[in-house]
Amino acid sequence: MANMIMRVLIILGIWILHCEITESLNCTAQDAEERLVSSLYNELLDGYDSRVRPCVNGDAVHVFLDVFLASLDGIDEKHLDYSITATIHQRWHDPRLTFNGTTTLPPTAYLVDRVWHPNIVIGNAKEVLLHHISDTNQYVTVDWDGNVTLVQRLSVKLSCAMDFHRFPMDTQKCNMDLQSFGLTTSDLVLLWGAQKLEFHSHHMRLPQYFLIGVDFFDCTEQRYNGIFSCVRAQFTLERTLGYYMLQAFIPSIALVMVSWVTFWIDVRASPARVGLGVTIILSVISKTNGVRLDIPPVSYLKAIDVWYTSCLFFVIGALLEYALVHHLSLGTKKTKQKVLAFIPKQGSSSQESAMGVSHGTIESISAPCRISRQHQVIRRDETTGELRTTASAPPLDNKHPQPLQTTSPSGRQASAIGRETSRMQGQEVSTCYHCNSMPGETHVIDLISRWLFSIGFAIFNICFWAYYLPTNYTPEYLTDDEKFVSHSVGNL
């Protein structure tokens, strides 16, 4: 038993001693590595001048740029700009920073201000913010062969020259220009790296746009003081039509179709037809002004202007169509009244009998609006000379219809009845002609308009959507081998 306990104590002691030795060796190795890294930093920076570019008397420094697009934050159409959050990688070769390849230097912000790096600016930036969450979001890595990488995380608001000719079926192309600020192409050349641009599709979703692709260009430009290198990433953004379809197109189509209801309303219902037409016109104008608030005022014609102007043309046309129909109706009535005014005054009862007319009372004059016009006769009162309408009984055979007779008044009573008849004549006969004389032209115009307006609006829709709907866009750099870039709208 004592031997067993002795063996256990010996094994335990050996294990404790092994752990202490291992820990001591690890600490020694770590201390040695830390001292090596520190000495490397001191050795690399010893005599290093960060104010001088690499190979100052040699070829230009080639800087390779890669961008990781963290998010597309929004597009402000009124101010013509858009916002992104991106991490920019800048890589170049500095032979002054080469060292033994057995050691790797970790990324550090310590070298940001202690090594030379290119002064690259975003040419079309309005605002640039370097993130300082917990610490400054930038660092430098140095490889053993002298390749240096500067990484910075930025939030940028960039200007975008937008074109609204096809709004709201438009496709905007917004640029991000990375260019040298002080060094010309003889000292610094900017190039896109292997990755160029990396982004994840779920970070690129916007309420009204799809990011459908990115193109890359060389935007090197010559100024009065030299040629400056520049590279450009162009984002192609296609507007989604859902919002404007619900807020603009469908309501305006409904308003135009409601304006056609007036073609089925009686021509005598002037308040209904005019009131409906004016209300629809004001509604279309109100919708037009509401949509235009989303974009800055521009001097050229937009697709939405073409749409609303055409809709306004159709609803105003429906109102003008009623004005024409009403005018033709009144014109026909006045023409018939003029014909009646030229009937000669007849003095003999025989001539009145030949016309099939006779004296009538006030009750007989007010009857025509309730009796078919085929059984109405017109006569001139021999006492007062006024034209009056009397009703005749419908013929029982093919004989000439006989007028309805009442007891003919005489003397003052006849004169009073004649004057009252003349007054009632102006109201009853005029109303009768307006009620019963629906001209053939009026009915035909309304009937034609029902088809003409609907077919015309359908043809306009076909032409409008065929012209303004965007065509399929394929960015030139999208291939199946690209690893991080979305290839189509469906992937976004």
Side-chain angles (χ1 to χ4, degrees):
M1 185 66 180
N3 293 333
M4 181 65 67
I5 295 174
M6 184 63 66
R7 290 177 183 177
V8 171
L9 292 175
I10 292 173
I11 293 173
L12 182 60
I14 294 172
W15 182 78
I16 294 174
L17 181 62
H18 173 73
C19 291
E20 291 180 352
I21 294 173
T22 302
E23 184 178 357
S24 177
L25 291 175
N26 290 337
C27 293
T28 302
Q30 291 178 0
D31 292 342
E33 186 175 354
E34 290 176 0
R35 287 193 297 269
L36 179 59
V37 170
S38 299
S39 63
L40 276 177
Y41 281 140
N42 295 331
E43 183 180 333
L44 290 175
L45 298 177
D46 186 21
Y48 184 90
D49 191 350
S50 61
R51 299 170 296 177
V52 181
R53 72 170 181 87
C55 304
V56 64
N57 294 322
D59 296 334
V61 178
H62 289 74
V63 179
F64 296 90
L65 300 173
D66 293 292
V67 178
F68 172 74
L69 190 60
S71 64
L72 186 59
D73 300 325
I75 298 177
D76 190 345
E77 294 160 331
K78 283 190 173 182
H79 297 91
L80 300 179
D81 56 39
Y82 69 105
S83 301
I84 63 172
T85 298
T87 302
I88 301 177
H89 299 252
Q90 308 173 37
R91 293 195 304 275
W92 67 93
H93 179 70
D94 192 341
R96 297 173 295 177
L97 297 178
T98 57
F99 58 91
N100 188 355
T102 59
T103 305
T104 301
L105 293 179
T108 177
Y110 173 78
L111 295 177
V112 171
D113 297 326
R114 290 173 172 81
V115 299
W116 178 90
H117 56 81
N119 188 6
I120 297 177
V121 297
I122 303 177
N124 60 328
K126 292 183 176 180
E127 298 177 6
V128 178
L129 173 65
L130 177 64
H131 287 224
H132 290 81
I133 299 176
S134 73
D135 200 356
T136 304
N137 292 175
Q138 61 179 352
Y139 64 86
V140 169
T141 60
V142 179
D143 296 335
W144 63 271
D145 55 355
N147 289 329
V148 185
T149 303
L150 172 63
V151 181
Q152 295 175 316
R153 181 179 174 86
L154 306 171
S155 288
V156 190
K157 180 183 290 186
L158 306 102
S159 63
C160 179
M162 300 183 184
D163 181 13
F164 297 105
H165 277 94
R166 304 177 70 91
F167 174 85
M169 286 78 69
D170 53 332
T171 299
Q172 302 297 342
K173 296 181 180 293
C174 296
N175 300 330
M176 181 178 66
D177 296 343
L178 301 172
Q179 59 188 24
S180 172
F181 181 70
L183 299 178
T184 63
T185 53
S186 60
D187 296 315
L188 180 66
V189 175
L190 300 181
L191 301 169
W192 284 112
Q195 294 295 338
K196 295 183 180 179
L197 184 74
E198 175 187 350
F199 62 86
H200 297 300
S201 59
H202 59 278
H203 293 158
M204 300 298 109
R205 298 184 183 275
L206 292 175
Q208 293 190 29
Y209 286 94
F210 278 134
L211 177 61
I212 62 175
V214 186
D215 294 312
F216 301 98
F217 304 96
D218 182 6
C219 55
T220 299
E221 59 182 357
Q222 182 173 3
R223 307 174 190 169
Y224 72 94
N225 57 344
I227 301 175
F228 293 85
S229 182
C230 172
V231 292
R232 171 177 296 167
Q234 186 177 82
F235 303 98
T236 302
L237 302 161
E238 181 179 301
R239 191 189 303 272
T240 57
L241 200 56
Y243 172 80
Y244 291 98
M245 186 64 71
L246 295 176
Q247 298 297 323
F249 291 108
I250 292 179
S252 57
I253 291 174
L255 289 173
V256 172
M257 295 179 68
V258 169
S259 69
W260 302 340
V261 175
T262 58
F263 303 145
W264 279 266
I265 300 178
D266 197 297
V267 68
R268 295 168 295 180
S270 297
R273 294 187 69 160
V274 174
L276 181 61
V278 172
T279 301
I280 293 175
I281 291 174
L282 295 177
S283 299
V284 172
I285 295 175
S286 177
K287 295 295 294 181
T288 304
N289 295 333
V291 173
R292 288 174 178 169
L293 293 176
D294 296 338
I295 59 175
V298 293
S299 59
Y300 49 80
L301 191 66
K302 305 180 292 295
I304 196 69
D305 296 332
V306 175
W307 174 264
Y308 273 119
T309 302
S310 301
C311 291
L312 198 60
F313 171 79
F314 278 99
V315 297
I316 292 178
L319 186 60
L320 294 179
E321 185 271 348
Y322 172 67
L324 176 62
V325 170
H326 189 266
H327 174 73
L328 293 178
S329 175
L330 294 179
T332 305
K333 184 189 73 173
K334 292 180 180 179
T335 301
K336 291 187 177 182
Q337 288 180 343
K338 290 180 180 179
V339 172
L340 293 176
F342 281 104
I343 297 178
K345 180 177 180 181
Q346 305 293 335
S348 62
S349 60
S350 62
Q351 292 174 333
E352 291 179 356
S353 299
M355 296 175 60
V357 298
S358 63
H359 297 290
T361 61
I362 299 177
E363 290 77 11
S364 67
I365 293 175
S366 61
C369 284
R370 296 184 298 273
I371 303 176
S372 174
R373 295 176 62 226
Q374 297 178 355
H375 309 302
Q376 299 174 12
V377 293
I378 302 171
R379 67 180 178 82
R380 188 184 296 277
D381 189 272
E382 64 179 3
T383 304
T384 63
E386 298 290 340
L387 291 174
R388 291 187 293 172
T389 302
T390 59
S392 62
L396 299 177
D397 50 18
N398 294 330
K399 297 181 180 180
H400 188 74
Q402 300 296 326
L404 295 178
Q405 299 287 344
T406 59
T407 303
S408 177
S410 62
R412 295 180 178 177
Q413 184 179 4
S415 178
I417 292 175
R419 287 192 298 271
E420 181 65 18
T421 301
S422 299
R423 185 183 67 82
M424 297 295 293
Q425 169 69 23
Q427 299 177 0
E428 298 293 343
V429 174
S430 175
T431 304
C432 181
Y433 279 120
H434 187 71
C435 296
N436 295 329
S437 61
M438 292 294 292
E441 294 84 0
T442 301
H443 177 72
V444 170
I445 292 176
D446 272 340
L447 183 61
I448 293 176
S449 298
R450 296 173 188 175
W451 291 97
L452 182 63
F453 276 73
S454 57
I455 295 175
F457 191 65
I459 295 175
F460 163 72
N461 271 270
I462 294 173
C463 297
F464 178 85
W465 294 108
Y467 179 79
Y468 281 108
L469 279 180
T471 57
N472 293 330
Y473 169 79
T474 303
E476 61 180 19
Y477 81 100
L478 290 183
T479 62
D480 294 337
D481 297 331
E482 296 289 343
K483 182 177 180 181
F484 294 100
V485 183
S486 297
H487 290 235
S488 64
V489 177
N491 291 337
L492 294 177

